[in-house]
Amino acid sequence: MLQSQVNDPQRPTEIPHPITSEANILSVSHLHYTMSTWLMNKWKDVDSMCLDQLNLDQVTELMRRLNIQVSKSEVKSMFKSAGITKKGSITFNMFERFYKQLRIRPEVAELFASLAKSNLQIITINEFRDFM
């Protein structure tokens, strides 16, 4: 920038756009935290008695609210495979693991890994632009 441009009242000050700024990156850990917080809020909506655990019917309802199309028998099967049938309820941590397993998209993980050239945990704005 020329010295004459610095004090020019006619020239608007350039402020970096928050989305396109080089300092901004899409972090996997930040996305995980955001998703976990969102999921916990959805969990609390269904856990009306604040017991910090959900039964089969509540988990089925939560899945429906999350737009995950699974039947009650499929949820029951998930419970059984995790050895939950004796207790009949599931904690948030257990549910979060189930949710992540249901949402795994190997093709997306592969794409992310191919884009993240400088660090496997983040994509820089330039890497994202190259993708676009």
Side-chain angles (χ1 to χ4, degrees):
M1 185 181 298
L2 298 173
Q3 183 61 30
S4 62
Q5 293 175 326
V6 173
N7 297 323
D8 185 358
Q10 300 293 329
R11 181 175 165 76
T13 305
E14 289 185 33
I15 300 172
H17 189 278
I19 301 298
T20 59
S21 172
E22 285 302 314
N24 290 305
I25 54 176
L26 302 174
S27 167
V28 171
S29 60
H30 176 74
L31 292 174
H32 171 74
Y33 172 78
T34 303
M35 190 229 21
S36 188
T37 303
W38 170 80
L39 192 58
M40 175 59 87
N41 289 334
K42 296 294 184 184
W43 170 275
K44 288 178 181 179
D45 289 345
V46 176
D47 184 17
S48 57
M49 302 283 288
C50 299
L51 298 173
D52 294 328
Q53 52 189 357
L54 299 180
N55 64 30
L56 181 66
D57 292 333
Q58 291 170 310
V59 170
T60 303
E61 173 61 20
L62 179 55
M63 298 289 228
R64 186 191 65 73
R65 290 183 184 196
L66 295 172
N67 201 27
I68 299 174
Q69 308 303 318
V70 291
S71 68
K72 188 173 180 177
S73 63
E74 289 173 304
V75 174
K76 190 174 186 176
S77 176
M78 288 186 336
F79 269 49
K80 189 175 182 179
S81 69
I84 301 172
T85 53
K86 294 175 186 160
K87 258 179 102 174
S89 62
I90 186 172
T91 65
F92 175 74
N93 289 338
M94 295 167 105
F95 176 76
E96 188 174 29
R97 282 193 301 258
F98 280 132
Y99 179 78
K100 286 178 182 177
Q101 287 176 335
L102 289 171
R103 304 300 292 175
I104 288 175
R105 303 266 316 264
E107 68 277 12
V108 174
E110 188 178 312
L111 177 62
F112 189 94
S114 72
L115 292 174
K117 296 175 180 94
S118 57
N119 180 334
L120 293 180
Q121 295 296 310
I122 60 172
I123 296 177
T124 65
I125 293 298
N126 281 337
E127 290 168 342
F128 184 71
R129 279 189 201 128
D130 290 346
F131 168 71
M132 298 304 286

